[in-house]
């Protein structure tokens, strides 16, 4: 069991912020290879999107390969990353797409795997 001092350990928080930044850069530039790398390659991985429910890495990968690469730029307007122990983290942001006033929200659960930090669960939604 983690103790309260295991939350946001500085070195772990820095690692997760760095991998989250790499994910964000890959997302807005449509670097599908990096996006695929950062998701856990498991049938247990899930991603609830603004218009799709994707169960398993294969479904997430297929979605990314078929997604239009236009209008991906966005501005992150709020960000909170919290780590729990050395191997789990959650990252939450609010964002706005360029040319839109709608507020988007993204939540990710990250786990440290033998190959590095990977998203095991993600949820993206837009407020009305």
């Amino acid at each position: 069991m983690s103790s309260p001092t295991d939350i946001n350990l500085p070195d772990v928080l820095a690692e997760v912020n760095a991998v989250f930044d790499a994910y964000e850069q890959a997302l807005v530039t449509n670097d599908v290879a990096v996006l695929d790398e950062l998701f856990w390659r498991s049938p247990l991985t899930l991603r609830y999107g603004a218009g799709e429910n994707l169960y398993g890495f294969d479904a997430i990968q297929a979605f990314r390969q078929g997604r239009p690469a236009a209008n991906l730029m966005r501005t992150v307007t709020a960000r909170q990353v919290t780590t729990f122990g050395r191997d789990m983290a959650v990252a939450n942001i609010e964002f706005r797409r360029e040319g839109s006033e709608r507020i988007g929200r993204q939540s990710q659960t990250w786990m440290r795997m033998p190959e590095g930090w990977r998203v095991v669960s993600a949820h993206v939604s837009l407020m009305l």
Side-chain angles (χ1 to χ4, degrees):
M1 178 175 280
S2 295
S3 75
T5 59
D6 290 340
I7 296 175
N8 284 344
L9 294 169
D11 60 323
V12 179
L13 188 59
E15 288 175 17
V16 176
N17 273 304
V19 74
F20 183 84
D21 289 343
Y23 176 89
E24 185 67 18
Q25 180 63 29
L27 184 69
V28 299
T29 60
N30 202 40
D31 189 338
V32 175
V34 171
L35 294 171
D36 285 349
E37 177 186 327
L38 292 176
F39 267 73
W40 183 33
R41 291 183 180 263
S42 169
L44 300 175
T45 305
L46 69 86
R47 180 187 177 276
Y48 292 150
E52 65 284 337
N53 295 331
L54 305 170
Y55 296 92
F57 176 82
D58 292 343
I60 296 166
Q61 184 180 46
F63 167 78
R64 291 218 187 276
Q65 291 172 349
R67 178 180 73 155
N71 197 27
L72 298 176
M73 294 305 297
R74 64 189 189 174
T75 300
V76 175
T77 57
R79 174 173 168 157
Q80 171 117 11
V81 176
T82 307
T83 64
F84 302 90
R86 302 200 72 77
D87 300 321
M88 182 186 166
V90 293
N92 294 283
I93 63 168
E94 291 180 21
F95 64 88
R96 284 206 166 103
R97 293 254 179 238
E98 291 189 3
S100 175
E101 290 302 312
R102 292 185 76 186
I103 297 171
R105 298 172 292 185
Q106 174 183 295
S107 298
Q108 296 174 328
T109 303
W110 291 81
M111 294 291 297
R112 184 192 305 271
M113 303 289 181
E115 61 275 12
W117 286 97
R118 298 295 182 263
V119 175
V120 298
S121 178
H123 186 172
V124 180
S125 61
L126 295 171
M127 295 179 70
L128 297 175

